[in-house]
Amino acid sequence: MCKLSSQVLQGAGLGLRREMLDDILTAKPAIIDFFEVAPENWIPLGGSLQRKFGQLTEQYRFICHGLSLSIGSPDPLDVIFIRQVKQFLKQHNISLYSEHLSYCSGKGHLYDLMPIPFTQEAVHYVAKRIRQVQDILEQPLILENVSYYAAPGQQMSELEFTLAVLQEADCQLLLDVNNIYVNSVNHGYSAEQFLQAMPSSRIAYYHIAGHFKEADDLLIDTHGAAVADPVWQLLQMAYQQHGVKPTLLERDFNIPQLNVLCEELRQIKELQGETSENVVLRA
């Protein structure tokens, strides 16, 4: 099942917000190579918003990053929702669908991404559900390493758990570089060692984002600020270790003008170019 489908995707992408629609339709900045959306935010929409969104997906490359699959939930998978996602992907010619290695429901919606217990039992449980989703979608599911602030019932490290799920489920990885850095500070591990241990062949694409520094030993993954210098450095290491892959900039609130976001996209592309040049020089 682990067959990468991102060959047609490259460069730097941006998470699309509804408030950006008119600006993008009027004049999409050339620096944006692709867009990412949460299908839950667009499936229910009709009218002018749906028409505008359809105009964009006909012209530009899109990927999907979901919010409510709840792959680790004790509740049964929402098969109806998964089929809606499948139809959405087909309708808009979207080949990549990622979600979070977490859960957000349990006898009701929890309105947050909760950490799955790092246990061998949870590995088997989650891997089985991932395979079920992949069978329904008829394409690989891409799972993101998530930020977390507590680890209830922990019997394995985050690294061991993540690698075990990827292997048993035979799925792809959305490597969130900011989440690695945030977790390394909050839980006291080496971000570099975690990054290096990731399986290059399973990485479909990268995420970067900003965070909030609550204290020296507590970072909050907010997606509401500019990308911090240590995250840029870790992204460069990711390119060097695992190769240059599509990279998505997330910004969910405190959203600045589009030209400000484009400056961060330009920084992504500069790092990608520098890494590619170094690879050529070494060859």
Side-chain angles (χ1 to χ4, degrees):
M1 177 61 71
C2 184
K3 180 181 178 182
L4 288 181
S5 52
S6 59
Q7 288 86 350
V8 297
L9 197 70
Q10 61 183 0
L14 182 65
L16 179 70
R17 314 296 296 184
R18 292 180 195 174
E19 54 265 41
M20 299 176 184
L21 270 177
D22 289 334
D23 287 342
I24 298 296
L25 279 168
T26 301
K28 182 191 80 68
I31 197 75
I32 305 174
D33 295 310
F34 63 94
F35 295 98
E36 182 186 76
V37 293
E40 296 90 335
N41 291 340
W42 298 91
I43 287 174
L45 297 181
S48 63
L49 281 175
Q50 192 61 247
R51 286 194 299 273
K52 289 178 181 179
F53 181 68
Q55 285 179 255
L56 288 180
T57 60
E58 287 176 0
Q59 298 178 65
Y60 308 115
R61 298 200 185 282
F62 273 75
I63 57 179
C64 277
H65 183 52
L67 301 170
S68 56
L69 180 62
S70 201
I71 199 67
S73 172
D75 292 342
L77 285 168
D78 188 342
V79 174
I80 293 175
F81 167 69
I82 298 169
R83 288 176 177 153
Q84 288 175 332
V85 170
K86 181 179 181 179
Q87 177 57 35
F88 181 82
L89 298 175
K90 181 179 179 181
Q91 177 185 350
H92 295 286
N93 194 30
I94 298 172
S95 61
L96 297 186
Y97 172 54
S98 64
E99 252 287 357
H100 301 83
L101 187 55
S102 62
Y103 70 101
C104 58
S105 62
K107 297 183 179 179
H109 198 82
L110 300 174
Y111 300 101
D112 207 348
L113 296 175
M114 306 299 291
I116 301 169
F118 299 151
T119 68
Q120 195 62 52
E121 181 183 5
V123 169
H124 300 323
Y125 177 77
V126 171
K128 181 179 179 181
R129 287 163 67 91
I130 292 170
R131 292 193 299 269
Q132 184 181 348
V133 173
Q134 293 182 142
D135 287 345
I136 296 171
L137 293 177
E138 298 181 282
Q139 69 179 64
L141 177 63
I142 306 168
L143 272 298
E144 178 191 53
N145 58 297
V146 298
S147 57
Y148 65 100
Y149 304 94
Q154 181 172 3
Q155 299 172 7
M156 311 166 68
S157 69
E158 178 195 355
L159 175 58
E160 291 168 334
F161 177 77
T162 302
L163 293 176
V165 170
L166 294 173
Q167 179 65 31
E168 185 166 332
D170 191 20
C171 64
Q172 297 180 17
L173 172 66
L174 162 52
L175 190 59
D176 191 306
V177 178
N178 181 63
N179 287 350
I180 294 176
Y181 180 71
V182 166
N183 289 348
S184 73
V185 171
N186 292 345
H187 303 289
Y189 66 68
S190 167
E192 293 79 8
Q193 289 179 5
F194 188 99
L195 175 68
Q196 291 168 358
M198 292 295 100
S200 301
S201 62
R202 293 191 182 274
I203 300 172
Y205 67 107
Y206 302 110
H207 267 182
I208 59 168
H211 57 259
F212 175 72
K213 184 176 180 180
E214 181 76 27
D216 287 343
D217 58 352
L218 178 58
L219 304 181
I220 309 298
D221 178 32
T222 60
H223 300 179
V227 177
D229 286 343
V231 178
W232 285 119
Q233 294 165 13
L234 205 59
L235 178 63
Q236 186 172 33
M237 288 183 59
Y239 289 158
Q240 294 168 347
Q241 177 76 25
H242 302 295
V244 172
K245 299 175 189 285
T247 304
L248 190 286
L249 173 66
E250 293 185 291
R251 190 64 176 262
D252 294 339
F253 74 100
N254 291 335
I255 299 174
Q257 294 295 313
L258 195 54
N259 66 305
V260 176
L261 296 174
C262 286
E263 284 304 311
E264 289 193 289
L265 294 177
R266 189 165 287 107
Q267 193 164 346
I268 291 172
K269 301 194 83 162
E270 287 175 357
L271 289 178
Q272 291 175 332
E274 290 170 7
T275 306
S276 298
E277 288 175 8
N278 290 335
V279 168
V280 171
L281 290 173
R282 289 197 302 267

